Amino acid sequence: MHLSAIWLITLLSAVIVHAKTHTFNFTAGWVTANPDGLNEKRMIGFNGEWPVPDIHVNKGDRVEVYLTNGIDEGIDTSLHFHGLFHNTSVGNQNQMDGPTMVTQCPILFGQTYLYNFTVDGQVGTYWYHAHSGAQYGDGMRGAFIIHDENEPFHYDKEMVIQLSDLYRQPYYEVNAAFLSRYNPTGAEPIPQNMLFNNTLNATLDFKPGETYLLRFINSGLFVSHYIALESHELTIVEVDGIYVKPNVTQLLYVATGQRVSVLVKAKETDPGRNFALMQIIDESMLDVTPPELVLNWTHQIAYSRNYPKPKPIDVGNLDDAAEEFYLSPLDGRELYDDYDLQIVLDVRMKNLGDGVKYAFFNNVTYVEPKVPTLTTVLTSGKLSTDPRIYGDNINAYVLGKNEIVEIVLNNYDPGKHPFHLHGHNFQVVQKSPGFHEDENYPEEDQDKMTVPYNESAPLMDFPQHPVVRDTVQLEANGHVVLRFKANNPGVWFFHCHVDWHLTQGLAAVFVEDPETLQAREELGDNYKQICSSCGIKNKGNAAGHSNDWFNLDGLTRQPLPLPGGFTAKGYVAFMACTLAALWGVYTISSYGLSETIQDDKQVFESLRKALNVEDTLT
Ligand SMILES: *[C@@H]1O[C@H](CO)[C@@H](O)[C@H](O)[C@H]1NC(C)=O
Ligand SMILES: *[C@@H]1O[C@H](CO)[C@@H](O)[C@H](O)[C@H]1NC(C)=O
Ligand SMILES: *[C@@H]1O[C@H](CO)[C@@H](O)[C@H](O)[C@H]1NC(C)=O
Ligand SMILES: *[C@@H]1O[C@H](CO)[C@@H](O)[C@H](O)[C@H]1NC(C)=O
Ligand SMILES: *[C@@H]1O[C@H](CO)[C@@H](O)[C@H](O)[C@H]1NC(C)=O
Ligand SMILES: *[C@@H]1O[C@H](CO)[C@@H](O)[C@H](O)[C@H]1NC(C)=O
Ligand SMILES: *[C@@H]1O[C@H](CO)[C@@H](O)[C@H](O)[C@H]1NC(C)=O
Ligand SMILES: *[C@@H]1O[C@H](CO)[C@@H](O)[C@H](O)[C@H]1NC(C)=O
Ligand SMILES: *[C@@H]1O[C@H](CO)[C@@H](O)[C@H](O)[C@H]1NC(C)=O
Ligand SMILES: [Cu+2]
């Protein structure tokens, strides 16, 4: 035997010994819990338990998750492993990514889907969550940690901490009330509380002299969180699975979907007391702040559980939180200094003819196709590079093999939006601050108030080593510019991770190098069976047609604009003033709205009279 062959066998067996397969058998179902200690609520757990487990694996391992939907008749589900690339070079990985109607069909009650993938080439802090509407908000979310034996820093113990928001009502009721003509301003549902690792009043035990790695994950639906530790420094060492040059800060900001890991050095000797760990909601994201909503929770860093509970501290100016744009990857990776393809996405929020406030990229709100986009890619042959077959309501963009793609996001909205890309991470090459955040200006002034990206006059110098993340926050009326290399053929969802905005349609689909994907991937038996069980075709364009690929009959399209006479402004003004009182009740206490509101006919009668127009809303 050749020496090289022996060497190869040794190497292979080393790989085989080290790469472990972790198999999980999860049946999702309701579990009664009391996360904040104030109210019972049904959460979605696995195998009768909630919270669902954190998953810990090592670099290179394989993961098999059997997910059975045991939630309820009429509720579908799926799982996404947030931040994992599912690199399709090893075949059949795109169908493991999770978002329903993008890369798989919804898993109906009683059905089982197998997620089978490796975590090749990635390390650090990730998470997994349901990817069907706002479902994960009811607790179907956990941490996913990829351990790295060659971590470039040392610590004695890690602590994995999810930050999230808690709604009392089930996600589908909150969503129905939110996406309703009775909420014409599109005010996001206000959570009733926040959670710290799925509970409240947490204690982190510290021992003198030790160093801890705190992995913060914002696994909530909506609000960003600030984190500060009393008289302990935080050293940021990782964001979204990328090691960064250590950056010392007093205050962290974690938007939904993002992860930030920090090293914290405990006091050298027992300080004789405990310290506060502050968790603070970014209040600027709330349309109203109900008086009973606690914005600051004080958890404790305990040197002894016998010491008194620490008092809350003032964390100073929230604007001093570490800014993601100034972080830089530890491996020194360079800026992609130019792009091959630029995609400009203007973010807007507007009312359509059904009175509901939707979210748009370039005036198109994402509406699910009739078959998952992955099915369309894999069954359309040469036509796969023609975006028309994906329909006109999913913001489909076809990316060429290995192109450097630049995404420009301009925010014609005063809200903050943490955008997440599946299948990749990206360089953040420009990130503007927010504008006019504290002003209350009329909606029609959006365009005037916004500072879109001006390529001939970028606001900041392009960093030589830009931060690389998979989720970045677009600030109020500002912009971000992102770059990545299209080196992972697949269908990848790009969307706001404020899941309320996702359900309003703030999403696009990147169809990356579809011809290479066709050569690599085929629809698995399990995939096809899941689709068949919900009556979805395993072939065809966005509307499910495969005789004429440009025939989109039957495709659901976004509602028509408000009819003539019903200007968005007039509609909102009318609805907002007649329903203001109701809305107050609705946001602040409960969503038991349906009994109190008039039926649609009455509302539209009065609307028609008030606006004195002939049109009817359909
Ligand atoms: C998963 O668990 C269910 C219920 O306990 C069982 O019926 C099924 O055989 C298990 N599947 C696997 C692959 O272990
Ligand atoms: C947290 O503390 C609050 C206020 O002291 C209390 O009402 C609540 O029950 C506690 N929650 C948990 C989960 O212990
Ligand atoms: C997961 O995928 C690997 C690689 O294709 C395969 O060997 C393995 O059998 C799969 N696991 C299951 C449970 O099907
Ligand atoms: C957070 O919760 C997870 C799962 O419930 C648990 O494994 C983990 O240890 C908790 N983190 C801390 C710091 O207690
Ligand atoms: C919450 O924390 C912020 C920042 O430290 C502070 O300005 C504010 O007064 C606190 N609010 C309450 C109710 O303690
Ligand atoms: C740390 O972050 C701040 C901004 O938050 C930035 O000004 C500074 O350059 C960063 N330092 C390092 C070493 O990355
Ligand atoms: C979207 O609509 C706005 C007006 O609401 C208009 O100013 C803008 O040009 C439109 N954008 C595109 C890309 O059509
Ligand atoms: C963009 O910047 C260039 C160079 O400063 C300037 O001439 C141009 O007017 C700007 N464009 C817009 C739309 O502001
Ligand atoms: C996927 O794997 C291929 C082959 O190893 C590699 O060239 C590519 O960079 C990877 N893509 C991502 C997103 O990591
Ligand atoms: Cu958003």
Side-chain angles (χ1 to χ4, degrees):
M1 203 185 273
H2 281 285
L3 215 61
S4 60
I6 294 172
W7 185 82
L8 187 67
I9 288 169
T10 316
L11 187 78
L12 278 177
S13 52
V15 169
I16 289 161
V17 168
H18 286 284
K20 210 181 144 202
T21 297
H22 307 256
T23 303
F24 301 91
N25 191 359
F26 292 149
T27 299
W30 294 113
V31 177
T32 301
N34 192 342
D36 62 355
L38 304 176
N39 260 298
E40 282 207 334
K41 175 182 173 171
R42 288 197 313 165
M43 303 298 279
I44 301 175
F46 288 157
N47 307 335
E49 288 188 27
W50 185 85
V52 303
D54 288 351
I55 293 179
H56 290 264
V57 304
N58 290 319
K59 199 161 144 180
D61 285 355
R62 175 171 294 280
V63 177
E64 300 172 341
V65 177
Y66 290 92
L67 176 67
T68 301
N69 180 355
I71 305 173
D72 252 330
E73 204 69 63
I75 292 186
D76 63 62
T77 194
S78 78
L79 271 186
H80 169 58
F81 299 84
H82 181 119
L84 296 191
F85 295 155
H86 293 293
N87 194 317
T88 58
S89 60
V90 295
N92 281 19
Q93 284 303 290
N94 205 182
Q95 57 202 286
M96 304 302 164
D97 190 45
T100 56
M101 299 316 285
V102 182
T103 54
Q104 71 164 89
C105 289
I107 305 169
L108 296 188
F109 184 64
Q111 298 286 322
T112 302
Y113 193 68
L114 169 64
Y115 295 92
N116 181 2
F117 55 90
T118 64
V119 295
D120 279 344
Q122 293 188 273
V123 292
T125 312
Y126 303 86
W127 61 299
Y128 69 98
H129 62 83
H131 214 302
S132 178
Q135 187 175 66
Y136 76 77
D138 281 4
M140 194 165 154
R141 53 169 180 234
F144 189 105
I145 310 298
I146 308 173
H147 293 277
D148 176 7
E149 56 188 14
N150 301 315
E151 257 165 355
F153 41 79
H154 298 283
Y155 51 89
D156 297 291
K157 195 175 166 226
E158 71 170 2
M159 299 185 184
V160 179
I161 299 157
Q162 294 179 54
L163 309 170
S164 64
D165 30 32
L166 176 70
Y167 293 84
R168 296 251 181 276
Q169 303 304 119
Y171 72 93
Y172 48 84
E173 283 181 16
V174 182
N175 204 58
F178 166 59
L179 273 190
S180 138
R181 55 175 65 107
Y182 304 110
N183 180 23
T185 63
E188 295 85 0
I190 309 290
Q192 278 69 48
N193 216 335
M194 68 179 105
L195 296 177
F196 186 92
N197 214 35
N198 289 313
T199 183
L200 263 184
N201 316 327
T203 296
L204 302 181
D205 292 306
F206 274 29
K207 284 204 186 93
E210 291 202 327
T211 299
Y212 301 97
L213 179 71
L214 272 48
R215 301 180 187 265
F216 290 103
I217 303 169
N218 187 333
S219 62
L221 282 178
F222 177 26
V223 295
S224 304
H225 299 258
Y226 293 94
I227 293 287
L229 265 56
E230 180 182 9
S231 67
H232 289 73
E233 275 181 345
L234 308 168
T235 304
I236 303 174
V237 290
E238 181 221 328
V239 290
D240 298 359
I242 299 294
Y243 298 135
V244 294
K245 297 210 170 97
N247 194 307
V248 178
T249 184
Q250 307 295 328
L251 189 61
L252 300 177
Y253 184 87
V254 195
T256 309
Q258 293 188 322
R259 289 87 66 209
V260 180
S261 296
V262 295
L263 290 175
V264 181
K265 180 108 183 60
K267 305 282 176 201
E268 285 303 333
T269 54
D270 186 343
R273 54 169 288 211
N274 289 344
F275 297 88
L277 186 163
M278 302 302 300
Q279 178 186 12
I280 300 176
I281 287 182
D282 180 355
E283 190 186 1
S284 74
M285 297 176 84
L286 309 178
D287 281 37
V288 289
T289 305
E292 64 272 37
L293 178 64
V294 179
L295 296 168
N296 302 6
W297 275 100
T298 310
H299 309 288
Q300 72 168 335
I301 300 289
Y303 283 86
S304 163
R305 298 238 175 180
N306 297 325
Y307 295 149
K309 286 252 156 68
K311 296 205 162 43
I313 55 160
D314 186 337
V315 307
N317 189 350
L318 294 174
D319 292 337
D320 293 341
E323 166 52 49
E324 58 192 339
F325 184 73
Y326 295 105
L327 297 170
S328 130
L330 190 62
D331 61 12
R333 62 182 81 178
E334 301 262 329
L335 168 78
Y336 292 125
D337 55 12
D338 207 354
Y339 58 82
D340 302 304
L341 173 69
Q342 187 188 49
I343 299 172
V344 179
L345 300 171
D346 290 344
V347 174
R348 284 193 168 79
M349 302 275 192
K350 287 189 293 198
N351 297 82
L352 290 179
D354 60 357
V356 174
K357 185 99 161 195
Y358 291 92
F360 304 81
F361 277 145
N362 301 338
N363 300 333
V364 174
T365 186
Y366 178 90
V367 180
E368 279 183 356
K370 292 282 185 203
V371 306
T373 305
L374 179 60
T375 300
T376 302
V377 171
L378 295 187
T379 58
S380 56
K382 291 242 170 298
L383 289 176
S384 65
T385 55
D386 190 328
R388 288 176 295 170
I389 66 171
Y390 305 113
D392 52 12
N393 252 176
I394 66 162
N395 287 303
Y397 291 88
V398 175
L399 316 182
K401 189 193 199 77
N402 288 328
E403 277 180 335
I404 303 298
V405 182
E406 173 168 290
I407 301 177
V408 176
L409 286 161
N410 295 317
N411 191 5
Y412 291 89
D413 181 72
K416 298 177 179 175
H417 303 282
F419 276 98
H420 172 52
L421 175 59
H422 291 217
H424 284 279
N425 47 26
F426 44 69
Q427 300 183 339
V428 182
V429 303
Q430 290 285 305
K431 184 185 172 199
S432 82
F435 295 96
H436 313 289
E437 272 177 86
D438 305 320
E439 294 165 38
N440 200 356
Y441 56 85
E443 187 173 285
E444 65 270 23
D445 286 349
Q446 275 314 326
D447 283 29
K448 221 162 50 198
M449 294 305 187
T450 298
V451 179
Y453 179 49
N454 181 347
E455 207 173 353
S456 6
L459 281 193
M460 37 255 293
D461 293 334
F462 279 75
Q464 207 43 52
H465 307 284
V467 67
V468 173
R469 308 200 69 149
D470 57 51
T471 310
V472 67
Q473 177 153 284
L474 175 62
E475 306 290 345
N477 293 111
H479 60 264
V480 291
V481 181
L482 316 173
R483 286 183 186 166
F484 66 95
K485 185 174 180 179
N487 58 7
N488 193 17
V491 176
W492 306 116
F493 213 21
F494 179 68
H495 63 90
C496 179
H497 223 295
V498 167
D499 255 44
W500 306 124
H501 298 164
L502 173 56
T503 66
Q504 277 178 299
L506 198 47
V509 178
F510 297 142
V511 177
E512 178 174 337
D513 187 6
E515 288 179 307
T516 302
L517 186 67
Q518 286 174 350
R520 290 177 172 184
E521 181 132 353
E522 56 180 27
L523 300 178
D525 291 340
N526 191 193
Y527 179 105
K528 291 195 265 194
Q529 169 242 321
I530 290 294
C531 291
S532 303
S533 72
C534 35
I536 293 175
K537 290 184 184 153
N538 282 309
K539 189 175 181 185
N541 66 10
H545 302 298
S546 49
N547 40 2
D548 174 0
W549 283 83
F550 297 105
N551 172 10
L552 292 166
D553 287 353
L555 195 63
T556 314
R557 288 201 166 77
Q558 68 187 47
L560 295 172
L562 279 168
F566 288 88
T567 62
K569 191 183 157 199
Y571 178 82
V572 169
F574 176 82
M575 289 300 268
C577 61
T578 53
L579 296 169
L582 275 177
W583 177 239
V585 173
Y586 159 41
T587 46
I588 291 160
S589 51
S590 92
Y591 289 86
L593 189 61
S594 47
E595 297 132 77
T596 26
I597 47 181
Q598 320 151 59
D599 73 17
D600 286 0
K601 269 210 189 94
Q602 276 176 285
V603 170
F604 292 124
E605 259 332 291
S606 44
L607 183 60
R608 205 170 24 234
K609 277 196 202 120
L611 295 178
N612 194 25
V613 286
E614 291 300 308
D615 306 69
T616 50
L617 296 174
T618 46

